[in-house]
Amino acid sequence: MTTPVLSVSNVTLAYGDRTVLDDVSFSIAPGEFTGLIGSNGVGKTTLLRVILGLEKASRGEVLINGATRSRSERAVGYVPQRVSIDPEVPLRARDFVALGLDGHRFGLRRRQAGDHALVQRYLEAVDALAFADTRVGELSGGELQRVLIAHALISQPSLVLLDEPLANLDPRSVQEIVALLHRVAKEFNVALLLSAHEMNALLPVMDRIVYLTQGRCASGTTDEVVRADVLSELYGHHVDVLRLHGRVLVVAEPSDDVDHLPSHATLNLDN
Amino acid sequence: MFAPGFFSSGSVHTALLLGTIVAIVSGLMGVFVLLRNQSFGGHALTDVATTGGAGAAYLSVAPLVGFVTGAVIGAGAIESLSRDHSQRRDVATGIVLGAATGLSGLFLYLTATTSSATGVTQQVLFGSLFSVSSSTVPVAAVTALIVTVTMALVARPLLLSSLSPDLARARGLRTSWLGLLFLLLVAVAVGLCAISIGSLLATALLIGPAATAMRRSRTITGAIVMAMSVGLAATWVGIVLAYDSFTWRATGQGLPVSFFVVATILAFYALSHVPLSRSRRV
């Protein structure tokens, strides 16, 4: 069996007496497209930060390519949820992508001709050549997302974590970014772990789903996880899974106990 | 256009050399101060530099030592107040700024009332490039060199952490240490600016050329080079005009260099607002 590119074992994290992650375990094989699905505030960002080593788990272990993080920093790319750069900053999209190569390096190092070619190649891979010389602060949401993806990919990591890359995008950009991610994951043989509060846009491309709610998770293929029995157990009360024109709706029974409603059920019904 | 004696005057030589050194360092640091949105922090450091300069005047220590020491202590105070999360950063900055200005008042009063030196307040606050001792030049040059080399070594990680602290931390960078190092370097740069155009006007030299350059450049490197150029041009124009101004009035007294430097910087900044097509950025 091949070593998983990411293996999360029994990760628990609590702030005071509030448990954010409760015994979370799952693993991702090389090249897998994985969706980390859950409503807002269930701990998706926290889990990504633990995997990146930006947050320390109270318990449990995170292995990247079979090693603890300190020795494998370069193996993980990251696309944060919010990067806001002022339009006044004189930084072109291509300069930002180049920082993915050497932005963490101290010392004097001149960029080689090979670096420029590499930047060009990754700009092309994310369809960003048209705005390669535009200031990063002047890009639209979808354009900035492409540049961030190229920035994360150019160091040739085996795993890229993306924090809500589809949030705040218009529906067309969502489709485009999902197709783009699917394509580059295959092209560069990189595993993606992408968090989202809405799974439908990702259903056609996801190899694996990690479904997170109230700090606990279920993981597997979508057919294994997005089922009434699995999700009902995860939520701790009955939910229905409806399939409609290739879309999935997770619906809670009417209940007085509003706290336990999967909060995105209503959101999905609105779609 | 040059008044008689301009090129043979020792104090003009000193002023030109020192002004050049300071313009180069302030252009470099100014761009990063703006990248990091730390204009307020940078300005607070000039107020603490004032305290150092005023203290140095009272104790008869070299002004450069006073300015730099003051600003560095101020940077440390702001950092330690905001680091333990007891204060938000802008609150910490405000508190240090207030305390420093109070102390400046005390030192300047003490100096004015206990020594016969005249014009100390004017010199500390607004500078007087023509009366700087020539022995300051080598010290300033070495200090500037240290700042420039250090910046060259940390430039990329500093840039990445300014754009997105999260991205920088995910790449294994210690952003809080980078931030502290940067604040200390700005403190030293502010000390150098204070010698040139006075501590109160140091902000103008730090922010003005950088703000002008950022509007007109395509890259960070381009912005740094342009900020240095604008700072140099403003300093040189200021020195020439100030020297010339000795002949403008019947009393034979010149007008302050700092006024001309700041006026030139402002003119450049105003010019940068003249609309150009985007392709004209360098």
Side-chain angles (χ1 to χ4, degrees), chain B residues 41 44-45 47-49 51 68-100 103 179-180 183-184 187:
Chain B
L45 291 182
D47 286 328
V48 200
T51 315
V68 172
T69 310
V72 167
I73 291 174
I78 292 171
E79 191 64 23
S80 57
L81 265 180
S82 52
R83 173 149 299 186
D84 60 5
H85 301 293
S86 60
Q87 298 294 339
R88 281 211 341 255
R89 190 170 195 91
D90 57 341
V91 178
T93 306
I95 287 171
V96 170
L97 187 158
L103 270 179
L180 175 61
L183 202 61
L184 292 175

Side-chain angles (χ1 to χ4, degrees), chain A residues 93 96-97 123 126-128 130-132 134-150 169-170 173 176-177 180:
Chain A
F96 192 82
V97 174
L123 283 167
V126 299
D127 296 329
F131 43 87
T134 305
R135 284 188 177 194
V136 177
E138 292 170 353
L139 299 177
S140 74
E143 290 169 342
L144 178 61
Q145 206 54 256
R146 285 160 199 265
V147 172
L148 288 171
I149 291 165
L169 294 183
D170 60 86
S173 299
E176 284 173 5
I177 295 289
L180 172 87

Side-chain angles (χ1 to χ4, degrees), chain A residues 12-35:
Chain A
T12 298
L13 181 94
Y15 297 121
D17 51 2
R18 198 170 75 87
T19 304
V20 183
L21 298 172
D22 183 6
D23 205 30
V24 169
S25 297
F26 65 95
S27 64
I28 298 178
E32 265 188 337
F33 194 120
T34 306

Side-chain angles (χ1 to χ4, degrees), chain A residues 49 54 69 78 80 88-92 96 99-100 102-109 111 135 138 151, chain B residues 35 152-154 156-157 159-160 163 166-167 169-171 173 178 214-215 217-220 223 278 281:
Chain A
R49 291 176 65 84
L54 300 182
R69 196 190 106 88
Y78 179 44
E88 288 282 298
V89 174
L91 187 84
R92 297 166 301 178
F96 192 82
L99 280 177
D102 54 20
H104 62 297
R105 289 205 198 161
F106 289 93
L108 298 162
R109 174 182 174 271
R111 286 181 181 145
R135 284 188 177 194
E138 292 170 353
H151 172 99
Chain B
L35 277 177
L153 293 177
V154 302
R156 282 201 187 114
L159 176 58
L160 184 62
L163 296 171
D166 275 348
L167 270 180
R169 280 191 288 266
R171 294 302 286 273
L173 293 172
L178 272 173
M214 294 210 6
R215 293 185 59 83
S217 311
R218 286 168 64 211
T219 64
I220 304 286
R278 185 134 307 155
R281 281 174 181 157

